[in-house]
Amino acid sequence: RFLIKGGLAGAAVYVAYDQGLLGSGTEGAAALKKAQETLPPAIQEWTNYLGWEVRAAQLPPTPKFDFSVSNYWNKGVHSVMSALSVAPTRACEYTVEGWKYMKDLVK
């Protein structure tokens, strides 16, 4: 079980890397555009293969994303780095508060 899960996780990371999702923001945006262009024909091909009657009018339109992937990625990186830079100070503050709480309990 562990090997199967590890293999699936590794394959998922490899596919994400291969498609450019782990690269820069422009590579991620290009991968998203490629997926938007590829997905409707693939769905149509599978429905034809399975024998389902699906007309193009029945398929919902692909969602239009009107945001910059790179801006959100950069914002997330800044948030994580900010939290990591404050972590030692917060850990010291929480430790001091914990010791005060313990001293008050002992009294």
XYZ file of all heavy atoms in Angstrom:
825
model
N 0.821 -1.194 0.000
C 0.000 0.000 0.000
C 0.862 1.254 0.000
O 0.568 2.198 -0.720
C -0.880 0.030 1.241
C -2.138 -0.731 1.120
C -2.921 -0.519 2.376
N -4.317 -0.544 2.066
C -5.254 -0.510 2.949
N -4.952 -0.432 4.228
N -6.506 -0.542 2.612
N 1.884 1.245 0.855
C 2.747 2.416 0.946
C 3.447 2.693 -0.380
O 3.554 3.840 -0.811
C 3.768 2.227 2.073
C 4.735 3.362 2.204
C 4.328 4.571 2.724
C 6.042 3.225 1.789
C 5.200 5.629 2.842
C 6.933 4.269 1.891
C 6.514 5.477 2.417
N 3.913 1.631 -1.039
C 4.605 1.796 -2.312
C 3.657 2.309 -3.398
O 4.047 3.135 -4.223
C 5.246 0.485 -2.734
C 6.407 -0.002 -1.865
C 6.885 -1.367 -2.344
C 7.536 0.994 -1.881
N 2.424 1.838 -3.379
C 1.454 2.308 -4.365
C 1.147 3.785 -4.147
O 1.141 4.581 -5.094
C 0.169 1.464 -4.304
C 0.467 0.045 -4.788
C -0.939 2.088 -5.147
C -0.665 -0.926 -4.595
N 0.914 4.164 -2.897
C 0.633 5.577 -2.593
C 1.823 6.451 -2.937
O 1.681 7.542 -3.486
C 0.262 5.742 -1.123
C -1.093 5.184 -0.781
C -1.398 5.370 0.689
C -2.723 4.755 1.064
N -3.018 4.919 2.489
N 3.011 5.983 -2.594
C 4.223 6.751 -2.920
C 4.413 6.878 -4.422
O 4.810 7.934 -4.922
N 4.128 5.801 -5.153
C 4.234 5.850 -6.606
C 3.244 6.814 -7.229
O 3.584 7.565 -8.146
N 2.016 6.817 -6.717
C 1.005 7.755 -7.232
C 1.379 9.200 -6.920
O 1.211 10.087 -7.760
C -0.367 7.420 -6.653
C -1.016 6.140 -7.180
C -2.303 5.857 -6.424
C -1.273 6.242 -8.669
N 1.879 9.431 -5.718
C 2.293 10.791 -5.355
C 3.465 11.236 -6.223
O 3.500 12.375 -6.709
C 2.663 10.844 -3.875
N 4.425 10.351 -6.429
C 5.559 10.686 -7.283
C 5.134 10.960 -8.709
O 5.633 11.885 -9.356
N 4.207 10.150 -9.213
C 3.705 10.361 -10.571
C 2.977 11.699 -10.683
O 3.120 12.411 -11.681
C 2.780 9.222 -10.975
N 2.209 12.053 -9.649
C 1.492 13.335 -9.673
C 2.468 14.502 -9.692
O 2.292 15.472 -10.431
C 0.555 13.435 -8.472
N 3.527 14.409 -8.892
C 4.533 15.480 -8.874
C 5.241 15.547 -10.213
O 5.491 16.634 -10.746
C 5.529 15.263 -7.717
C 6.704 16.211 -7.828
C 4.837 15.430 -6.378
N 5.563 14.387 -10.786
C 6.235 14.371 -12.088
C 5.365 15.003 -13.169
O 5.847 15.811 -13.966
C 6.610 12.945 -12.487
C 7.159 12.884 -13.890
C 8.453 13.316 -14.158
C 6.375 12.437 -14.948
C 8.957 13.293 -15.445
C 6.866 12.402 -16.238
C 8.158 12.837 -16.486
O 8.637 12.821 -17.762
N 4.080 14.658 -13.198
C 3.177 15.221 -14.210
C 3.052 16.732 -14.016
O 3.073 17.495 -14.985
C 1.797 14.533 -14.161
C 0.773 15.277 -14.998
C 1.916 13.090 -14.627
N 2.940 17.178 -12.771
C 2.848 18.618 -12.505
C 4.118 19.322 -12.969
O 4.060 20.395 -13.573
C 2.614 18.861 -11.019
N 5.265 18.720 -12.710
C 6.537 19.318 -13.147
C 6.638 19.298 -14.665
O 7.052 20.277 -15.289
C 7.709 18.552 -12.523
C 9.057 19.037 -12.998
C 9.599 20.224 -12.505
C 9.779 18.326 -13.948
C 10.822 20.685 -12.956
C 11.001 18.780 -14.401
C 11.524 19.955 -13.899
O 12.726 20.412 -14.341
N 6.262 18.187 -15.282
C 6.352 18.034 -16.723
C 5.447 19.025 -17.455
O 5.797 19.529 -18.521
C 5.990 16.598 -17.116
C 6.260 16.324 -18.583
O 7.357 16.671 -19.053
O 5.361 15.753 -19.245
N 4.286 19.319 -16.893
C 3.347 20.243 -17.521
C 3.687 21.706 -17.239
O 3.030 22.597 -17.751
C 1.923 19.946 -17.059
C 1.415 18.597 -17.502
C 1.360 18.458 -19.006
O 0.947 19.372 -19.703
N 1.792 17.314 -19.507
N 4.660 21.965 -16.394
C 5.080 23.336 -16.125
C 4.355 23.983 -14.968
O 4.431 25.195 -14.799
N 3.643 23.206 -14.160
C 2.897 23.792 -13.050
C 3.795 24.195 -11.888
O 3.401 24.992 -11.051
C 1.826 22.814 -12.560
C 0.737 22.492 -13.571
C -0.186 21.437 -13.017
C -0.023 23.735 -13.944
N 4.982 23.629 -11.798
C 5.894 23.954 -10.704
C 6.923 24.995 -11.114
O 7.816 25.318 -10.342
C 6.601 22.685 -10.208
C 5.682 21.582 -9.688
C 6.498 20.381 -9.269
C 4.868 22.083 -8.524
N 6.801 25.526 -12.307
C 7.745 26.519 -12.802
C 7.299 27.921 -12.426
O 6.646 28.157 -11.412
N 7.634 28.849 -13.295
C 7.280 30.244 -13.030
C 5.785 30.454 -13.260
O 5.068 29.570 -13.720
C 8.085 31.154 -13.966
O 7.669 30.947 -15.308
N 5.320 31.652 -12.933
C 3.910 31.977 -13.104
C 3.472 31.947 -14.554
O 2.353 31.546 -14.867
N 4.349 32.358 -15.454
C 3.987 32.339 -16.873
C 3.845 30.911 -17.383
O 2.979 30.635 -18.201
C 5.032 33.095 -17.715
O 6.334 32.542 -17.453
C 5.041 34.576 -17.372
N 4.688 30.000 -16.879
C 4.557 28.600 -17.273
C 3.248 28.018 -16.737
O 2.588 27.238 -17.419
C 5.733 27.782 -16.757
C 7.038 28.105 -17.440
C 8.224 27.373 -16.823
O 8.028 26.665 -15.816
O 9.323 27.504 -17.354
N 2.865 28.388 -15.516
C 1.604 27.928 -14.948
C 0.415 28.446 -15.738
O -0.556 27.725 -15.979
N 0.479 29.717 -16.146
C -0.604 30.295 -16.939
C -0.705 29.605 -18.297
O -1.800 29.352 -18.797
C -0.382 31.790 -17.115
N 0.446 29.272 -18.888
C 0.438 28.569 -20.172
C -0.156 27.174 -20.013
O -0.905 26.709 -20.878
C 1.855 28.486 -20.733
N 0.156 26.499 -18.912
C -0.402 25.169 -18.666
C -1.913 25.250 -18.471
O -2.660 24.384 -18.941
C 0.260 24.529 -17.444
N -2.398 26.281 -17.788
C -3.838 26.464 -17.597
C -4.541 26.703 -18.926
O -5.597 26.128 -19.197
C -4.099 27.623 -16.634
C -5.554 27.961 -16.368
C -6.252 26.789 -15.687
C -5.651 29.201 -15.501
N -3.944 27.525 -19.776
C -4.527 27.792 -21.088
C -4.562 26.520 -21.924
O -5.543 26.238 -22.606
C -3.729 28.874 -21.804
C -4.321 29.282 -23.123
C -3.580 30.439 -23.733
C -4.244 30.803 -25.055
N -3.660 31.975 -25.657
N -3.498 25.731 -21.848
C -3.442 24.465 -22.590
C -4.545 23.519 -22.112
O -5.198 22.855 -22.911
C -2.069 23.828 -22.394
C -1.880 22.538 -23.114
C -0.476 21.997 -22.858
C -0.309 20.610 -23.418
N 1.004 20.047 -23.084
N -4.769 23.474 -20.787
C -5.823 22.610 -20.242
C -7.201 23.079 -20.688
O -8.073 22.263 -20.994
C -5.738 22.581 -18.724
N -7.411 24.395 -20.728
C -8.702 24.926 -21.169
C -8.972 24.604 -22.633
O -10.114 24.405 -23.025
C -8.750 26.440 -20.962
C -8.867 26.850 -19.523
C -8.801 28.362 -19.343
O -8.281 29.069 -20.193
N -9.311 28.833 -18.233
N -7.928 24.543 -23.438
C -8.106 24.226 -24.849
C -8.283 22.724 -25.071
O -8.964 22.302 -25.999
C -6.900 24.718 -25.650
C -6.775 26.224 -25.695
C -5.459 26.685 -26.297
O -4.593 25.830 -26.593
O -5.292 27.898 -26.460
N -7.682 21.908 -24.227
C -7.667 20.462 -24.439
C -8.857 19.752 -23.816
O -9.319 18.738 -24.330
C -6.361 19.871 -23.854
O -5.264 20.589 -24.391
C -6.221 18.418 -24.191
N -9.380 20.265 -22.724
C -10.400 19.553 -21.969
C -11.718 19.336 -22.717
O -12.216 18.210 -22.751
C -10.645 20.265 -20.634
C -11.359 19.462 -19.574
C -10.606 18.174 -19.269
C -11.500 20.275 -18.312
N -12.344 20.341 -23.334
C -13.625 20.085 -24.012
C -13.543 19.027 -25.116
O -14.411 18.148 -25.175
C -14.024 21.453 -24.561
C -13.368 22.421 -23.632
C -12.062 21.771 -23.264
N -12.525 19.039 -26.005
C -12.462 17.964 -27.003
C -12.253 16.583 -26.367
O -12.791 15.586 -26.848
C -11.269 18.343 -27.888
C -11.078 19.794 -27.673
C -11.526 20.072 -26.282
N -11.504 16.530 -25.283
C -11.278 15.240 -24.616
C -12.578 14.715 -24.012
O -12.867 13.511 -24.092
C -10.212 15.395 -23.537
N -13.364 15.592 -23.411
C -14.659 15.173 -22.850
C -15.573 14.672 -23.960
O -16.234 13.640 -23.825
C -15.317 16.336 -22.064
C -14.512 16.634 -20.803
C -16.760 16.009 -21.720
C -14.975 17.859 -20.059
N -15.588 15.391 -25.086
C -16.423 14.985 -26.219
C -15.983 13.627 -26.754
O -16.810 12.767 -27.061
C -16.357 16.048 -27.327
C -17.310 15.793 -28.471
C -18.752 15.885 -28.029
O -19.115 16.750 -27.254
N -19.583 14.984 -28.516
N -14.671 13.411 -26.831
C -14.157 12.131 -27.325
C -14.555 10.978 -26.393
O -14.977 9.919 -26.852
C -12.635 12.204 -27.439
C -12.000 10.937 -27.954
C -10.491 11.050 -28.043
O -9.983 12.184 -28.150
O -9.827 10.003 -27.994
N -14.474 11.187 -25.090
C -14.842 10.128 -24.141
C -16.336 9.848 -24.156
O -16.770 8.712 -24.044
C -14.389 10.485 -22.725
C -12.990 10.027 -22.478
C -11.854 10.780 -22.551
C -12.568 8.701 -22.160
N -10.772 10.002 -22.301
C -11.165 8.726 -22.047
C -13.238 7.507 -21.971
C -10.431 7.596 -21.760
C -12.498 6.377 -21.670
C -11.120 6.417 -21.563
N -17.147 10.884 -24.292
C -18.597 10.644 -24.350
C -18.968 9.897 -25.620
O -19.849 9.039 -25.596
C -19.379 11.968 -24.264
O -18.930 12.854 -25.294
C -19.214 12.624 -22.905
N -18.288 10.189 -26.721
C -18.539 9.436 -27.956
C -18.088 7.988 -27.785
O -18.754 7.067 -28.257
C -17.819 10.073 -29.136
C -18.411 11.407 -29.510
O -19.538 11.722 -29.149
N -17.647 12.218 -30.220
N -16.967 7.786 -27.129
C -16.438 6.440 -26.913
C -17.372 5.610 -26.034
O -17.583 4.431 -26.268
C -15.050 6.536 -26.285
C -14.429 5.201 -25.949
C -13.907 4.386 -26.945
C -14.362 4.756 -24.636
C -13.342 3.160 -26.646
C -13.806 3.532 -24.312
C -13.292 2.742 -25.325
O -12.733 1.532 -25.016
N -17.937 6.247 -25.005
C -18.825 5.541 -24.089
C -20.241 5.413 -24.618
O -21.061 4.708 -24.041
C -18.845 6.250 -22.733
C -17.520 6.243 -21.963
C -17.630 7.110 -20.720
C -17.141 4.821 -21.581
N -20.538 6.114 -25.704
C -21.859 6.003 -26.292
C -22.879 6.938 -25.674
O -24.081 6.748 -25.857
N -22.442 7.903 -24.946
C -23.369 8.872 -24.358
C -23.683 9.933 -25.397
O -22.833 10.372 -26.160
C -22.774 9.533 -23.122
C -22.556 8.603 -21.984
C -23.102 7.371 -21.793
C -21.706 8.827 -20.863
N -22.672 6.815 -20.630
C -21.804 7.695 -20.032
C -20.891 9.862 -20.482
C -21.115 7.585 -18.848
C -20.201 9.754 -19.299
C -20.320 8.625 -18.493
N -24.924 10.371 -25.376
C -25.346 11.418 -26.294
C -25.189 12.763 -25.592
O -25.987 13.137 -24.735
C -26.807 11.217 -26.705
C -27.326 12.241 -27.676
C -26.675 12.153 -29.047
O -26.263 11.055 -29.436
O -26.585 13.196 -29.718
N -24.135 13.463 -25.921
C -23.878 14.779 -25.323
C -23.633 15.748 -26.461
O -22.723 15.572 -27.262
C -22.652 14.741 -24.376
C -22.371 16.120 -23.831
C -22.888 13.750 -23.251
N -24.464 16.748 -26.520
C -24.289 17.791 -27.530
C -23.398 18.886 -26.957
O -23.303 19.055 -25.746
C -25.642 18.362 -27.914
C -26.504 17.357 -28.632
C -27.848 17.978 -29.009
N -28.792 16.930 -29.289
C -29.578 16.367 -28.394
N -29.542 16.764 -27.144
N -30.411 15.412 -28.735
N -22.786 19.619 -27.818
C -21.883 20.681 -27.376
C -22.630 21.729 -26.552
O -22.071 22.345 -25.664
C -21.203 21.334 -28.571
N -23.921 21.924 -26.840
C -24.697 22.917 -26.098
C -24.933 22.473 -24.652
O -25.155 23.294 -23.780
C -26.019 23.172 -26.785
N -24.899 21.142 -24.403
C -25.133 20.649 -23.061
C -23.902 20.801 -22.165
O -24.020 20.818 -20.959
C -25.547 19.182 -23.103
C -26.916 18.958 -23.681
C -27.245 17.478 -23.753
O -26.346 16.643 -23.771
N -28.521 17.167 -23.792
N -22.730 20.834 -22.774
C -21.521 20.983 -21.963
C -21.418 22.412 -21.455
O -21.636 23.362 -22.209
C -20.278 20.646 -22.802
C -20.123 19.199 -23.222
C -18.918 19.067 -24.147
C -19.938 18.323 -22.002
N -21.106 22.582 -20.193
C -20.942 23.943 -19.686
C -19.685 24.567 -20.278
O -18.718 23.866 -20.590
C -20.803 23.749 -18.174
C -20.317 22.358 -18.011
C -20.881 21.581 -19.154
N -19.701 25.867 -20.439
C -18.498 26.511 -20.992
C -17.360 26.442 -19.977
O -17.584 26.369 -18.769
C -18.942 27.957 -21.220
C -20.071 28.157 -20.262
C -20.751 26.823 -20.143
N -16.162 26.463 -20.492
C -15.006 26.438 -19.594
C -14.955 27.764 -18.837
O -15.236 28.827 -19.399
C -13.697 26.254 -20.375
O -13.584 27.285 -21.346
C -13.656 24.910 -21.061
N -14.635 27.720 -17.570
C -14.601 28.960 -16.794
C -13.471 29.871 -17.259
O -12.403 29.398 -17.650
C -14.372 28.481 -15.363
C -13.759 27.141 -15.496
C -14.281 26.560 -16.765
N -13.734 31.132 -17.233
C -12.733 32.121 -17.613
C -12.070 32.647 -16.337
O -12.729 33.189 -15.462
C -13.367 33.290 -18.364
C -14.098 32.879 -19.621
C -13.159 32.319 -20.653
C -13.922 31.966 -21.913
N -13.252 31.000 -22.711
N -10.792 32.438 -16.248
C -10.046 32.923 -15.094
C -9.462 34.275 -15.441
O -8.712 34.411 -16.407
C -8.923 31.942 -14.722
C -9.441 30.625 -14.233
C -9.354 29.495 -15.021
C -10.021 30.524 -12.984
C -9.825 28.284 -14.575
C -10.501 29.316 -12.535
C -10.405 28.190 -13.323
N -9.838 35.263 -14.664
C -9.392 36.612 -14.937
C -8.469 37.086 -13.818
O -8.709 38.108 -13.180
C -10.603 37.541 -15.080
C -10.224 38.855 -15.731
O -9.200 38.898 -16.434
O -10.959 39.837 -15.539
N -7.433 36.310 -13.556
C -6.464 36.704 -12.541
C -5.094 36.185 -12.952
O -4.974 35.286 -13.774
C -6.849 36.179 -11.160
C -6.855 34.675 -11.063
C -5.710 33.995 -10.701
C -8.006 33.961 -11.316
C -5.716 32.615 -10.621
C -8.020 32.585 -11.228
C -6.863 31.909 -10.880
N -4.104 36.779 -12.373
C -2.739 36.398 -12.691
C -2.283 35.314 -11.719
O -2.245 35.535 -10.506
C -1.819 37.614 -12.592
O -0.481 37.215 -12.740
N -1.941 34.161 -12.246
C -1.481 33.063 -11.417
C -0.186 33.448 -10.706
O 0.006 33.140 -9.532
C -1.285 31.787 -12.276
C -0.697 30.663 -11.456
C -2.601 31.363 -12.898
N 0.677 34.159 -11.411
C 1.969 34.516 -10.817
C 1.801 35.471 -9.632
O 2.532 35.364 -8.651
C 2.896 35.136 -11.869
O 2.338 36.326 -12.376
N 0.822 36.379 -9.698
C 0.612 37.294 -8.569
C 0.153 36.543 -7.327
O 0.629 36.806 -6.223
C -0.414 38.368 -8.925
C 0.154 39.399 -9.872
O 1.362 39.519 -10.030
N -0.721 40.135 -10.522
N -0.777 35.605 -7.501
C -1.245 34.833 -6.354
C -0.156 33.915 -5.820
O -0.043 33.707 -4.622
C -2.500 34.032 -6.718
C -3.733 34.889 -6.754
C -4.259 35.340 -7.938
C -4.345 35.285 -5.570
C -5.381 36.146 -7.976
C -5.472 36.086 -5.584
C -5.981 36.511 -6.793
O -7.086 37.311 -6.807
N 0.640 33.356 -6.718
C 1.749 32.503 -6.282
C 2.734 33.330 -5.454
O 3.146 32.913 -4.376
C 2.446 31.890 -7.491
C 3.660 31.111 -7.124
C 4.936 31.529 -7.175
C 3.696 29.777 -6.613
N 5.781 30.535 -6.754
C 5.042 29.452 -6.393
C 2.719 28.831 -6.329
C 5.432 28.225 -5.907
C 3.126 27.607 -5.847
C 4.461 27.312 -5.639
N 3.094 34.505 -5.962
C 4.048 35.353 -5.252
C 3.489 35.799 -3.905
O 4.213 35.866 -2.909
C 4.423 36.564 -6.102
C 5.253 36.174 -7.299
O 5.882 35.123 -7.315
N 5.256 37.014 -8.311
N 2.193 36.116 -3.862
C 1.564 36.514 -2.609
C 1.626 35.377 -1.593
O 1.909 35.587 -0.414
C 0.115 36.919 -2.855
C -0.590 37.455 -1.636
C -2.054 37.709 -1.961
C -2.351 39.174 -1.846
N -3.781 39.462 -2.034
N 1.388 34.150 -2.040
C 1.476 32.994 -1.153
C 2.889 32.772 -0.645
O 3.100 32.483 0.537
N 3.868 32.918 -1.518
C 5.268 32.756 -1.108
C 5.636 33.814 -0.079
O 6.286 33.515 0.935
C 6.208 32.817 -2.330
C 7.663 32.901 -1.907
C 5.991 31.603 -3.216
N 5.223 35.057 -0.296
C 5.508 36.124 0.667
C 4.853 35.837 2.011
O 5.458 36.065 3.067
C 5.041 37.482 0.134
C 5.922 38.033 -0.936
N 7.204 38.460 -0.705
C 5.702 38.208 -2.263
C 7.740 38.890 -1.826
N 6.847 38.737 -2.800
N 3.621 35.352 1.998
C 2.924 35.040 3.254
C 3.633 33.934 4.024
O 3.812 34.025 5.244
C 1.486 34.609 2.976
O 0.774 35.638 2.345
N 4.047 32.895 3.327
C 4.740 31.785 3.989
C 6.073 32.244 4.552
O 6.430 31.932 5.698
C 4.925 30.609 3.006
C 5.887 29.577 3.563
C 3.585 29.970 2.696
N 6.831 33.008 3.775
C 8.133 33.484 4.251
C 7.974 34.443 5.432
O 8.771 34.433 6.366
C 8.904 34.172 3.119
C 9.364 33.228 2.059
S 10.407 31.952 2.754
C 9.931 30.560 1.795
N 6.933 35.257 5.396
C 6.679 36.158 6.509
C 6.361 35.365 7.776
O 6.875 35.673 8.860
C 5.519 37.091 6.164
O 5.155 37.863 7.282
N 5.528 34.340 7.637
C 5.191 33.508 8.799
C 6.424 32.781 9.329
O 6.611 32.670 10.548
C 4.115 32.502 8.425
N 7.274 32.303 8.441
C 8.491 31.617 8.880
C 9.475 32.564 9.554
O 10.173 32.175 10.489
C 9.163 30.915 7.696
C 8.438 29.694 7.156
C 9.155 29.164 5.922
C 8.347 28.611 8.216
N 9.535 33.814 9.099
C 10.466 34.752 9.711
C 9.999 35.183 11.104
O 10.818 35.521 11.957
C 10.660 35.980 8.826
O 9.470 36.744 8.771
N 8.713 35.168 11.354
C 8.167 35.570 12.651
C 8.088 34.385 13.616
O 7.963 34.564 14.826
C 6.772 36.216 12.438
C 6.109 36.568 13.743
C 6.892 37.453 11.582
N 8.194 33.169 13.099
C 7.997 31.969 13.909
C 8.904 31.891 15.139
O 8.419 31.585 16.232
C 8.154 30.721 13.050
N 10.214 32.156 15.051
C 11.042 32.066 16.260
C 10.613 33.048 17.356
O 10.581 32.700 18.540
C 12.452 32.384 15.770
C 12.439 32.078 14.321
C 11.045 32.383 13.864
N 10.265 34.266 16.966
C 9.826 35.263 17.943
C 8.528 34.825 18.602
O 8.378 34.908 19.825
C 9.620 36.626 17.253
O 10.815 36.975 16.562
C 9.282 37.707 18.255
N 7.587 34.345 17.791
C 6.320 33.891 18.343
C 6.514 32.687 19.256
O 5.854 32.559 20.283
C 5.349 33.524 17.217
C 4.908 34.707 16.402
C 3.800 35.474 17.133
N 3.561 36.768 16.560
C 2.711 37.009 15.577
N 2.024 36.024 15.065
N 2.565 38.226 15.120
N 7.426 31.801 18.879
C 7.680 30.626 19.716
C 8.210 31.063 21.080
O 7.809 30.516 22.113
C 8.673 29.690 19.034
N 9.095 32.048 21.100
C 9.610 32.564 22.384
C 8.489 33.202 23.198
O 8.402 32.985 24.413
C 10.733 33.580 22.133
S 12.240 32.850 21.515
N 7.625 33.983 22.544
C 6.515 34.617 23.253
C 5.580 33.569 23.848
O 5.164 33.681 25.007
C 5.735 35.521 22.301
C 6.477 36.762 21.865
C 5.720 37.527 20.796
O 4.593 37.124 20.433
O 6.267 38.538 20.317
N 5.256 32.556 23.068
C 4.362 31.507 23.562
C 5.010 30.708 24.688
O 4.337 30.276 25.624
C 3.936 30.584 22.434
C 3.041 31.255 21.409
C 3.088 30.898 20.077
C 2.150 32.256 21.777
C 2.272 31.504 19.137
C 1.339 32.875 20.859
C 1.394 32.492 19.533
O 0.593 33.091 18.614
N 6.319 30.517 24.615
C 7.022 29.808 25.683
C 6.965 30.602 26.979
O 6.709 30.047 28.058
C 8.488 29.550 25.286
O 8.501 28.822 24.056
C 9.231 28.773 26.348
N 7.199 31.913 26.899
C 7.131 32.772 28.087
C 5.721 32.746 28.669
O 5.544 32.623 29.888
C 7.577 34.211 27.734
C 7.262 35.175 28.859
C 9.058 34.240 27.390
N 4.714 32.848 27.809
C 3.333 32.797 28.296
C 3.026 31.450 28.949
O 2.342 31.389 29.975
C 2.365 33.048 27.147
C 2.355 34.471 26.645
C 1.405 34.653 25.478
O 0.512 33.797 25.285
O 1.551 35.655 24.768
N 3.549 30.389 28.373
C 3.342 29.063 28.947
C 3.976 28.920 30.317
O 3.387 28.356 31.240
N 5.199 29.437 30.463
C 5.871 29.379 31.771
C 5.112 30.202 32.818
O 4.978 29.794 33.971
C 7.307 29.876 31.675
C 8.245 28.808 31.186
C 8.897 28.775 30.006
C 8.604 27.618 31.896
N 9.638 27.635 29.912
C 9.482 26.905 31.064
C 8.265 27.075 33.126
C 10.033 25.685 31.429
C 8.821 25.866 33.482
C 9.684 25.180 32.649
N 4.628 31.383 32.410
C 3.843 32.194 33.346
C 2.583 31.451 33.774
O 2.211 31.460 34.945
C 3.459 33.533 32.700
C 4.605 34.504 32.597
C 4.134 35.804 31.958
C 5.287 36.761 31.765
N 4.879 37.989 31.086
N 1.930 30.806 32.831
C 0.717 30.046 33.134
C 1.031 28.909 34.098
O 0.293 28.677 35.064
C 0.099 29.524 31.843
C -1.130 28.687 32.057
C -2.347 29.292 32.391
C -1.091 27.314 31.950
C -3.481 28.547 32.590
C -2.213 26.539 32.151
C -3.409 27.158 32.467
O -4.529 26.407 32.678
N 2.119 28.202 33.843
C 2.503 27.104 34.729
C 2.852 27.590 36.132
O 2.500 26.968 37.128
C 3.685 26.322 34.126
C 3.349 25.570 32.867
S 2.059 24.351 33.077
C 2.883 23.173 34.105
N 3.559 28.732 36.216
C 3.897 29.302 37.526
C 2.643 29.692 38.287
O 2.557 29.498 39.500
C 4.810 30.512 37.344
C 6.220 30.145 36.979
C 7.081 31.412 36.823
C 8.470 31.080 36.355
N 9.287 32.274 36.133
N 1.662 30.261 37.568
C 0.413 30.625 38.227
C -0.350 29.388 38.718
O -1.015 29.443 39.746
C -0.481 31.440 37.276
C 0.085 32.827 37.012
O 0.919 33.295 37.814
O -0.332 33.446 36.007
N -0.274 28.301 37.990
C -0.940 27.074 38.432
C -0.289 26.484 39.662
O -0.972 25.928 40.536
C -0.912 26.031 37.302
C -1.908 26.217 36.178
C -1.717 25.095 35.138
C -3.326 26.205 36.683
N 1.040 26.604 39.761
C 1.789 26.012 40.861
C 1.555 26.821 42.155
O 1.522 26.260 43.240
C 3.285 25.910 40.524
C 4.102 25.488 41.716
C 3.485 24.967 39.367
N 1.339 28.102 42.038
C 1.167 28.962 43.215
C -0.009 28.594 44.022
O -0.936 28.071 43.986
C 1.053 30.436 42.814
C 2.363 31.011 42.371
C 2.162 32.482 42.049
C 3.451 33.075 41.524
N 3.290 34.453 41.167
